[in-house]
Amino acid sequence: MDKLAEFTENRPRLFGLAYRLLGEAAEAEDVLQDAYLRWEASGPVEVPAAWLTKVVTNLCLSRLNSARARREKYVGPWLPEPVFTDDGRLGPLETVEQRESLSLGVLVLLERLTPAERAAFVLREAFGYRHGDVADVLDIDEAHARQLYRRAREHVGEHRRRFAERPGQREEIVRRFVAAAGDGDVAGLERLLAEDVIAWSDGGGKTSAARRPVVGPAAVARLYCGLANHPRAVDIEVSIQAVNGEPAIVVHQAGELYLIISLDVAGDRIVGVRGVLNPDKLAYASAQETRADPRQV
């Protein structure tokens, strides 16, 4: 197999890895560009998949510190770039762990980790790497790899609420959210929300969005009922699509992708609402919709 074919075969897994590590689809594409150039210039490689995984991981780790500094200066709440996941672009999504590691809620939690902890968590949770394999990727001993993973799980677990869901439960709740907001049913929407629900809006200072989290069912219900029934909400189309491995609310205005809303669900209540409006953050998903290939290699 030639080098381009080998890289292409590994691409979905590598992109899924880079995206989970960085939370930014465009940045993940840049990493894959760099990885391909290194791959093309390399000599014979005994295990291409392992070599490429190590290169992509380390390229991401070198970018995470500068990314964190940029996000500290970000206008309003920072959220990951949403990505449509009905085309296999982000690697395997068969297990609960693989899907959860891709959700916007977990990607936000991963921001709390050190770069090495994040890599250990993603390699283990999303791709099923053994601790010894994680150690090889990160050039550390296995005991250190185990420690990184344990700390990462503890940090993420402190802020993650997990409940067993019946089939279709999450999509049902998403549909009820859309119906209540569209009807302006504030009381009905409140009944879907947990007492400690929080809503974040990522406009990046480029579009109108709340610059602070909105807290509590009454405030969150008023926010989304108001948005859905605002006089400027004309020529709006709302659909439910697979985004980051979960059903999400996708809003178009005048045919253009305008907003993606992801809901964090615990049991039968919504505990978090994450709305991405920043047009820069929606560019990758918009390219996916128009079938323009956002890939560079």
Side-chain angles (χ1 to χ4, degrees), residues 2-275:
D2 64 31
K3 289 215 163 188
L4 178 58
E6 191 86 57
F7 190 87
T8 300
E9 181 178 290
N10 281 277
R11 197 180 204 291
R13 182 180 57 83
L14 295 173
F15 179 73
L17 171 62
Y19 174 74
R20 286 172 171 88
L21 288 175
L22 298 170
E24 298 182 354
E27 189 85 355
E29 292 292 355
D30 289 344
V31 164
L32 262 62
Q33 276 276 45
D34 291 347
Y36 179 74
L37 293 175
R38 296 186 184 204
W39 169 243
E40 197 174 38
S42 69
V45 174
E46 186 174 346
V47 185
W51 190 93
L52 287 166
T53 297
K54 186 166 187 172
V55 168
V56 167
T57 299
N58 284 286
L59 285 170
C60 289
L61 292 179
S62 69
R63 291 174 181 244
L64 276 173
N65 287 327
S66 61
R68 183 164 295 177
R70 290 198 312 272
R71 290 165 193 174
E72 288 175 354
K73 300 176 182 178
Y74 195 77
V75 178
W78 179 91
L79 295 175
E81 293 181 19
V83 179
F84 291 111
T85 50
D86 56 358
D87 58 2
R89 189 181 299 273
L90 284 156
L93 293 173
E94 285 85 13
T95 69
V96 172
E97 290 77 13
Q98 288 169 343
R99 292 191 296 274
E100 278 199 342
S101 70
L102 188 59
S103 71
L104 293 189
V106 169
L107 289 175
V108 169
L109 291 178
L110 295 185
E111 291 291 304
R112 302 170 182 265
L113 307 180
T114 67
E117 287 171 348
R118 185 165 184 163
F121 182 88
V122 167
L123 288 167
R124 180 78 175 156
E125 291 275 312
F127 297 96
Y129 274 51
R130 294 172 298 181
H131 292 296
D133 296 327
V134 173
D136 290 340
V137 171
L138 298 178
D139 285 326
I140 57 178
D141 60 47
E142 184 171 336
H144 190 189
R146 289 179 180 275
Q147 184 181 48
L148 288 172
Y149 175 66
R150 183 174 64 252
R151 287 205 304 259
R153 274 190 63 90
E154 288 173 356
H155 290 320
V156 172
E158 286 175 3
H159 303 278
R160 179 170 53 172
R161 288 184 275 186
R162 299 177 69 169
F163 290 80
E165 295 180 15
R166 66 177 186 277
Q169 180 180 6
R170 185 176 293 264
E171 184 168 347
E172 176 187 326
I173 291 173
V174 172
R175 291 188 182 281
R176 289 170 62 192
F177 182 98
V178 170
D183 291 342
D185 182 3
V186 175
L189 189 51
E190 279 190 59
R191 287 192 291 271
L192 288 175
L193 305 174
E195 284 300 313
D196 56 351
V197 65
I198 304 176
W200 298 266
S201 300
D202 181 342
K206 300 194 173 185
T207 188
S208 178
R211 295 194 178 186
R212 295 178 181 274
V214 176
V215 181
V220 173
R222 287 196 303 270
L223 171 66
Y224 276 95
C225 285
L227 287 174
N229 295 279
H230 196 280
R232 285 182 294 181
V234 295
D235 202 10
I236 291 289
E237 295 182 5
V238 180
S239 61
I240 297 173
Q241 300 185 47
V243 175
N244 288 70
E246 298 176 336
I249 302 160
V250 179
V251 181
H252 291 80
Q253 186 168 36
E256 298 292 327
L257 183 58
Y258 173 71
L259 169 65
I260 292 179
I261 302 169
S262 172
L263 303 180
D264 291 345
V265 176
D268 59 355
R269 290 291 183 270
I270 297 165
V271 297
V273 184
R274 292 181 168 86

